[in-house]
Amino acid sequence: MKKRVVIALGGNALGNNLPEQMIAVKNTSKAIADLIVEGYDVVISHGNGPQVGMINEAMDVYGRSNPLHPTFTPLSVCVAMSQAYIGYDLQNALKEELLDRGIEKSITTVITQVRVDEDDPKFLNPTKPIGHFMNEEELKFAKEKGFQVIEDSGRGYRRVVASPLPKEIIEIKTIKNLLNSGEIVITCGGGGIPVIRQGHHLKGVSAVIDKDFACSVLAQEIDADFLIILTAVEKVAINFGKPGEKWLESITTDEAKEYMNQGHFAPGSMLPKVQAAVDFASSGDNRTALITLLEKAKDGINGKTGTVIKK
């Protein structure tokens, strides 16, 4: 039986704008195709930080420039837009790469909603920056709209939004049905469209879900064997950039928790990746998480590099 892999693509796999993305997804598709050739069933997810900020800002500019038809686009809708156009580029690039290798596989992007808890305390303390640094006019507009902003390291002001934890993948049955029929599925893009449940209604909320946490939930729900979190470094380190720096090759979930408690991983970068990896690896026997570079994914899953986290 084929082993099932969830791949969480980092921002370096997509570039920062449309021209960069077109180039980046071609390189990304080569690494994904390598795993498919190895015989793995692959499910793909991705971040959307630069993309969702770009869409949100573009819609705000449109609204300000059309006073007769003012437009406010909810952040949840911006996440949905980013899922669709990133999925469009990624599925086409991967399809082309597989055909070049003589492999005929169907690829589907699922516009995915992810339920969060409306009482999640993270809503009370938005910390996730989106978009660019604001000028005075943009800052005034943001405050008039009730957006929360922070001063970022002396460089200016940026909008911040909440990043609640994922609780439920709404389209999980569809995802499972597609996988069971042999499809390659792109899902939970940008962590999923954040929604809360109000009776039978799913209401979008102004938030961005961490894609690594969403991928951990996804991997558990589809009973994956591997969760591969691809990032900008080949391995995870303790004492990173300090005396005693040590690159980690294989650690247990208990060891990873101890390193987290000791403060070895930066909250805005490596910490959520390690937390998500631990959540998945702890969720059942024979579940393995791997953190490594995109181009090292094949070597990592074959035990040649990367940081492996197991129960």
Side-chain angles (χ1 to χ4, degrees):
M1 182 176 178
K2 286 187 176 181
K3 291 188 178 294
R4 184 167 285 176
V5 179
V6 172
I7 300 175
L9 297 172
N12 59 323
L14 298 173
N16 293 305
N17 52 51
L18 288 173
E20 286 185 12
Q21 183 169 299
M22 291 295 292
I23 296 170
V25 294
K26 289 184 179 297
N27 293 327
T28 298
S29 294
K30 293 181 186 300
I32 297 171
D34 285 344
L35 294 178
I36 294 168
V37 169
E38 288 280 301
Y40 293 101
D41 280 336
V42 171
V43 184
I44 305 159
S45 189
H46 57 79
N48 71 344
Q51 294 84 2
V52 75
M54 177 182 68
I55 293 169
N56 186 247
E57 290 168 8
M59 299 307 291
D60 284 347
V61 169
Y62 176 79
R64 293 200 299 275
S65 64
N66 289 270
L68 296 179
H69 304 283
T71 299
F72 172 72
T73 306
L75 190 57
S76 56
V77 174
C78 296
V79 174
M81 291 179 178
S82 74
Q83 285 188 356
Y85 93 80
I86 293 171
Y88 159 65
D89 277 350
L90 190 53
Q91 70 185 32
N92 282 350
L94 182 55
K95 180 76 170 181
E96 181 179 344
E97 179 65 28
L98 291 174
L99 288 174
D100 286 345
R101 300 186 189 203
I103 300 170
E104 178 66 56
K105 293 276 287 185
S106 295
I107 307 165
T108 302
T109 298
V110 178
I111 306 304
T112 315
Q113 302 171 95
V114 173
R115 184 180 65 81
V116 299
D117 185 347
E118 61 181 317
D119 297 320
D120 190 315
K122 292 181 181 291
F123 279 114
L124 301 177
N125 183 32
T127 57
K128 178 74 172 177
I130 63 168
H132 67 271
F133 294 99
M134 301 176 184
N135 60 34
E136 290 185 8
E137 180 184 350
E138 291 167 333
L139 179 61
K140 180 181 177 182
F141 175 79
K143 290 181 176 179
E144 288 174 351
K145 287 291 185 181
F147 297 158
Q148 290 186 270
V149 297
I150 60 167
E151 199 280 326
D152 189 345
S153 306
R155 296 178 294 174
Y157 288 86
R158 295 179 75 189
R159 182 182 175 190
V160 289
V161 298
S163 186
L165 292 173
K167 297 296 183 182
E168 176 189 4
I169 298 170
I170 302 300
E171 286 77 21
I172 192 64
K173 289 184 179 179
T174 299
I175 294 165
K176 288 179 177 179
N177 287 338
L178 288 167
L179 291 173
N180 291 336
S181 68
E183 294 269 336
I184 298 170
V185 180
I186 302 168
T187 183
C188 292
I193 303 163
V195 297
I196 58 174
R197 194 184 295 280
Q198 296 180 333
H200 291 168
H201 176 60
L202 294 171
K203 179 183 178 182
V205 293
S206 185
V208 174
I209 301 168
D210 185 283
K211 69 100 173 41
D212 295 317
F213 287 131
C215 284
S216 178
V217 174
L218 171 65
Q220 293 173 55
E221 288 287 338
I222 65 171
D223 196 23
D225 300 281
F226 294 93
L227 169 61
I228 304 179
I229 298 176
L230 300 175
T231 186
V233 292
E234 186 170 345
K235 298 177 183 178
V236 178
I238 55 174
N239 297 313
F240 181 70
K242 303 174 184 177
E245 179 180 87
K246 178 183 178 182
W247 297 96
L248 304 174
E249 294 183 357
S250 180
I251 57 175
T252 67
T253 53
D254 286 341
E255 288 171 328
K257 289 175 184 177
E258 183 60 29
Y259 290 140
M260 286 190 284
N261 290 335
Q262 292 172 0
H264 281 287
F265 310 124
S269 56
M270 189 56 71
L271 180 59
K273 300 180 190 305
V274 176
Q275 287 176 321
V278 168
D279 287 346
F280 173 70
S282 301
S283 66
D285 296 330
N286 301 316
R287 288 183 171 178
T288 302
L290 169 70
I291 302 175
T292 194
L293 283 167
L294 169 67
E295 55 268 29
K296 297 289 185 176
K298 177 182 173 181
D299 287 341
I301 205 168
N302 288 325
K304 297 179 181 179
T305 190
T307 298
V308 172
I309 301 176
K310 300 183 74 171
K311 200 171 181 179

